[in-house]
Amino acid sequence: MKILAVCAGTAQRLPGKSTKTGIFKHPVEAAMMIDREGLIGDAICNRKHHGGVDQAIYGMGSVDLDWWSGELGSTVSPGTFGENLVITGVDSRSVSVGDRFETEHVLLEVTSTRIPCATFAARMQDPHFPKRFNRAGRPGFYCRVLKEGAIQSGDTVVLHPFSGERVTMPEMLETYGRNLSPADRARYLAAPIHHKLRAKLLSL
């Protein structure tokens, strides 16, 4: 596997909106630095709901973008969904919490799925796109940064699968905000999930 694209963006206004968003991202050719908060220089405008140590990097697989290109009938370029990284050969349907992606200088650990929002709908110019995105079950994956460093397109990537019971991205997307069975709750808590979801599950 390799890094197909590293994507970053600047703060921009959505049509008809007063607030700015960093969802418009484009591939960057030069190496970029990743720290605990994500790509240095990449715009994150609403830090209440975006960014932070447990969703510092948003990744998609090349398999996901190829599928969406067929689904939408036009090429889905890296960065279209606001992702920071696109990794060749990865299908986010098979990615689980705790999986780690390692390059020569950077180590990322998957923490949670992407939950599509109104900003995503506006960016795609389709108010119904979040539901369509959910149905597709190819949500991409948020990561925390375990090792900071430089990253760029072409870097070799090694996947280290989580050794415990797996919580896949499609499963997390389907169950997010719903009550879990005791067995599923225990399985989620045994994985290195996003700290906000962990706190929610521990409070139930």
Side-chain angles (χ1 to χ4, degrees):
M1 293 184 296
K2 291 183 179 296
I3 300 294
L4 177 65
V6 179
C7 305
T10 58
Q12 298 183 43
R13 295 187 190 277
L14 287 165
K17 303 286 185 180
S18 60
T19 56
K20 291 186 177 182
T21 175
I23 198 171
F24 294 96
K25 303 194 188 299
H26 305 281
V28 177
E29 293 301 323
M32 293 192 71
M33 291 297 297
I34 289 180
D35 66 10
R36 301 290 173 175
E37 295 286 338
L39 282 174
I40 296 175
D42 180 42
I44 301 174
C45 298
N46 183 356
R47 289 188 175 272
K48 179 179 179 181
H49 300 293
H50 302 289
V53 293
D54 278 358
Q55 51 188 49
I57 296 292
Y58 175 47
M60 294 286 287
S62 65
V63 176
D64 300 311
L65 297 193
D66 289 345
W67 185 89
W68 276 110
S69 294
E71 178 73 8
L72 298 177
S74 61
T75 300
V76 175
S77 303
T80 296
F81 295 150
E83 68 272 18
N84 300 116
L85 298 179
V86 180
I87 304 174
T88 62
V90 170
D91 182 335
S92 67
R93 294 177 302 174
S94 63
V95 173
S96 295
V97 173
D99 287 352
R100 294 181 176 184
F101 294 98
E102 184 176 18
T103 69
E104 182 180 0
H105 303 294
V106 173
L107 180 61
L108 307 175
E109 182 177 66
V110 177
T111 62
S112 64
T113 185
R114 192 248 191 88
I115 306 297
C117 61
T119 298
F120 187 38
R123 190 265 180 272
M124 299 304 294
Q125 299 181 329
D126 180 357
H128 305 293
F129 197 81
K131 290 184 178 180
R132 187 175 184 179
F133 192 79
N134 282 348
R135 288 195 302 269
R138 297 173 178 270
F141 43 92
Y142 279 116
C143 301
R144 62 171 60 94
V145 179
L146 299 182
K147 180 183 175 183
E148 303 175 355
I151 196 166
Q152 71 180 116
S153 61
D155 285 354
T156 297
V157 180
V158 177
L159 170 63
H160 303 282
F162 183 56
S163 60
E165 291 191 76
R166 298 178 69 76
V167 178
T168 67
M169 296 301 97
E171 178 188 7
M172 180 175 277
L173 179 65
E174 184 178 357
T175 62
Y176 208 92
R178 301 181 183 180
N179 291 327
L180 298 174
S181 69
D184 285 340
R185 179 172 175 273
R187 179 164 54 89
Y188 273 53
L189 289 172
I193 57 176
H194 191 295
H195 71 275
K196 290 183 180 179
L197 179 57
R198 180 175 297 279
K200 181 177 180 179
L201 292 177
L202 287 173
S203 69
L204 297 176

